[in-house]
Every structure is written in C-alpha cells, then in structure tokens.
C-alpha cells in the first residue's frame, strides 16, 4: 500500500512506495523533546521508497549510540517529517503525524521505555525495549 501525506501547512509532501520494515513508538528523551513530552510514533522505510517534495530544514545531535541523528522538518510549520541515523542511511524513519489519516499503521514495538515518564501509558500487548532494539534486518 502506498502512503502519502504532508506537513501541517502543506509546504512539504511525501509519498512512500513500500511497506514499513518496522513501526515503533519511541520514548527516548530526544523524541520526548520534539514531541511535547510524549513519544514519537514512527514507520521505518527503505530510504529509496520515500519521496519528499518541498523544502526541509534539519537538526542533528549525537545519540547515546554515538551515531548522528538527523531530524528533517518543515521550516515553515515545524512538522517533523522523518529522521535518519548516520549508521543506517539506507533507512528513513517517517513520523506518523504527517501521513494522511487512515494510513492504518500502528506501533509494533515500544522502545526506550526506561526513559518514559511514570505517567506514560505503555501498551502491554506490544514488544518493548528498555533502550534501542536490534537493528531491523537488511532490506533487499
């Protein structure tokens, strides 16, 4: 199923041709900072399957792993579009937010649960990891 979407102001559009390799909810401190205190909800796709039109801004920081994380967002409205790790440039982690309503994706796992605040509601039916889970399998 292809996925499409846009930022809040409509300046950035995305089209995704493939299915996600994984879907995750992330409670790391960096995600909480960019998500107003909650988690981010993300789908990991092969980079070549994600097509973005419009101008993006980006911000970088070093993760606990030592890898550089780059977050791409609309400079006009601030909507987070996707993130990418320097260790996995063949993947793009697309935020659920800009995807069109009805996309049908939901997190399959919760990561960085040790950073979640005490009030966080974690779905006990989902696989969970206190920190970063293993890297998704190679994509062909």
């Amino acid at each position: 199923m292809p996925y499409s979407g846009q930022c809040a102001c409509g300046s950035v559009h995305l089209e995704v041709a493939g299915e996600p390799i994984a879907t995750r909810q992330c409670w790391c401190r960096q995600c909480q900072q960019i998500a107003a205190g909650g988690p981010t909800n993300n789908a990991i796709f092969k980079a070549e399957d994600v097509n973005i039109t419009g101008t993006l801004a980006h911000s970088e920081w070093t993760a606990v792993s030592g890898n550089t994380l780059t977050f791409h967002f609309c400079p006009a409205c601030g909507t987070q579009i996707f993130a990418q790790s320097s260790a996995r440039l063949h993947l793009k982690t697309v935020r659920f937010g800009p995807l069109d309503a009805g996309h049908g994706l939901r997190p399959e796992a919760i990561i960085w649960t040790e950073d979640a605040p005490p009030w966080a509601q974690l779905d006990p039916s989902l696989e969970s990891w206190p920190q970063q889970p293993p890297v998704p399998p190679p994509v062909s």
Side-chain angles (χ1 to χ4, degrees), residues 115-140:
D115 285 354
W119 49 261
Q121 299 291 311
L122 306 179
D123 185 339
S125 71
L126 298 179
E127 176 182 11
S128 66
W129 297 85
Q131 295 183 346
Q132 187 67 26
V135 175
V139 289
S140 52

Side-chain angles (χ1 to χ4, degrees), residues 30-103:
Q30 290 148 328
C31 281
Q32 290 180 55
Q33 289 170 330
I34 63 174
T40 60
N41 293 288
N42 311 289
I44 303 169
F45 293 99
K46 291 190 290 187
E48 69 230 28
D49 288 347
V50 180
N51 182 39
I52 308 286
T53 56
T55 302
L56 289 173
H58 70 275
S59 181
E60 297 179 343
W61 59 68
T62 303
V64 174
S65 64
N67 297 321
T68 300
L69 294 177
T70 306
F71 297 87
H72 300 268
F73 56 93
C74 174
C77 67
T79 300
Q80 289 277 322
I81 305 296
F82 73 95
Q84 207 163 24
S85 169
S86 61
R88 293 177 284 287
L89 294 175
H90 63 289
L91 301 174
K92 288 185 177 175
T93 301
V94 175
R95 308 296 187 205
F96 284 6
L99 295 174
D100 290 337
H103 55 71

